[in-house]
Amino acid sequence: MNKTVIITGASRGIGRAAAVKFAGEGFNIVINSVSNTDKLNETEKLCLNANPSTQVLAVKGDISDSAFVKHLIDTSVNRFGSIDVLINNAGISFVGVIQDTDDETWQKIINTNLSSVHYFTRSVIPYMLKSGKGSIINISSVWGNVGASCEAAYAASKGGINAYTKSAAKELAPSGISVNAIACGLVDTDMNKCFSKEDLDVVCEEIPAGRPADPKEIAETIYHISQCPAYLTGQIITIDGGWT
Ligand SMILES: NC(=O)c1ccc[n+]([C@@H]2O[C@H](COP(=O)([O-])OP(=O)(O)OC[C@H]3O[C@@H](n4cnc5c(N)ncnc54)[C@H](OP(=O)(O)O)[C@@H]3O)[C@@H](O)[C@H]2O)c1
């Protein structure tokens, strides 16, 4: 029986690249996004191009809604029988000083980036316990490690993910379930479209590798971490071209 992976935020960027990678490796794929139906359908087609025998379930919905998350997990198990890998990838950013980060913006960033990780982990654990194994990979950021001026809410959400990852790893290691985070540096996706080319060039000058990561490089990393022994757990693995 094929293994199954759930990837949130897979209509674009890192999530899409991860979906295509796992499809090519023979996984059944569950993909999600919040609003972009056309792009989510495109990801489904790319997965089928990568592996015509793969099965793809696309579920649109908001990961900051715990009832939706439970529905997504239950629907995935009904369709594929089990969940082997969960990739908590979807996320949003906000660039602005702390004084301009109003309650609504703060709640949206924290709920989308951090609360969702708890909702997914909580809902998937019973199924992973049943199969006695599983890999949970949370997509974090170097800003969660070192903080970021003008991105305090985002950095706090990612720092929260790092602490949650280490906590969940401790709780779940006795059951053979690994929990790790991948802290990305600059990645070439829509998330950075808010910055000018000049701004991004300045950032690239600070990155020893001299460029942003290609989403496919992050997808490769995610896949390889998911295939490591469960003894690799509780780690925040930074992939940033030597930046931080
Ligand atoms: N790009 C970077 O430089 C960078 C660096 C460090 C970490 N990261 C992290 O990497 C992850 C992926 O980022 P990316 O750069 O690939 O982003 P992206 O290209 O902007 O894509 C974001 C994805 O998340 C989905 N999404 C947003 N809000 C959602 C919600 N409430 N419910 C469900 N899906 C939602 C989007 O769906 P729609 O298309 O429907 O909007 C889209 O599929 C994020 O956690 C981000 O923080 C990125």
Side-chain angles (χ1 to χ4, degrees):
M1 201 170 78
N2 283 354
K3 289 184 171 178
T4 301
V5 60
I6 295 180
I7 306 168
T8 65
S11 56
R12 313 180 257 133
I14 295 168
R16 171 180 280 185
V20 173
K21 172 68 185 168
F22 276 82
E25 298 292 341
F27 275 68
N28 297 321
I29 315 288
V30 181
I31 48 174
N32 149 267
S33 76
V34 66
S35 57
N36 228 325
T37 308
D38 290 348
K39 293 242 172 215
L40 195 62
N41 292 340
E42 259 175 46
T43 300
E44 179 168 356
K45 281 189 193 132
L46 290 169
C47 289
L48 292 168
N49 284 347
N51 181 355
S53 65
T54 201
Q55 291 192 57
V56 184
L57 173 65
V59 192
K60 211 177 92 174
D62 185 350
I63 58 163
S64 67
D65 171 356
S66 64
F68 166 72
V69 171
K70 189 168 183 322
H71 159 77
L72 189 155
I73 298 280
D74 291 346
T75 308
S76 305
V77 173
N78 283 342
R79 171 81 182 267
F80 295 124
S82 66
I83 296 160
D84 301 277
V85 181
L86 165 65
I87 304 170
N88 286 312
N89 165 74
I92 52 172
S93 63
F94 170 74
V95 179
V97 295
I98 290 168
Q99 308 90 291
D100 291 343
T101 308
D102 59 23
D103 294 1
E104 197 185 333
T105 304
W106 173 266
Q107 291 301 340
K108 191 167 182 196
I109 296 281
I110 297 297
N111 289 342
T112 305
N113 294 359
L114 180 58
S115 303
S116 66
V117 171
H118 173 57
Y119 301 152
F120 270 96
T121 306
R122 183 176 65 188
S123 297
V124 86
I125 283 173
Y127 298 113
M128 288 188 170
L129 286 178
K130 213 168 164 188
S131 48
K133 59 184 167 58
S135 169
I136 300 173
I137 299 180
N138 301 321
I139 305 305
S140 187
S141 160
V142 290
W143 294 157
N145 300 341
V146 300
S149 171
C150 298
E151 293 196 58
Y154 179 79
S157 73
K158 297 299 185 179
I161 286 179
N162 293 352
Y164 191 93
T165 298
K166 286 178 175 289
S167 305
K170 287 180 177 173
E171 198 167 313
L172 296 171
S175 309
I177 299 166
S178 67
V179 189
N180 292 292
I182 296 180
C184 305
L186 185 69
V187 189
D188 187 12
T189 71
D190 291 352
M191 186 166 271
N192 295 310
K193 275 197 170 154
C194 56
F195 299 112
S196 67
K197 185 181 176 310
E198 291 70 29
D199 286 345
L200 291 173
D201 285 347
V202 170
V203 176
C204 286
E205 278 171 24
E206 292 173 9
I207 300 173
R211 61 173 179 83
D214 186 298
K216 286 184 186 153
E217 293 173 299
I218 309 298
E220 285 285 333
T221 308
I222 296 170
Y223 178 73
H224 287 294
I225 297 298
S226 80
Q227 298 306 297
C228 284
Y231 205 76
L232 178 78
T233 194
Q235 301 308 302
I236 315 301
I237 295 137
T238 295
I239 171 164
D240 68 354
W243 189 16
T244 60

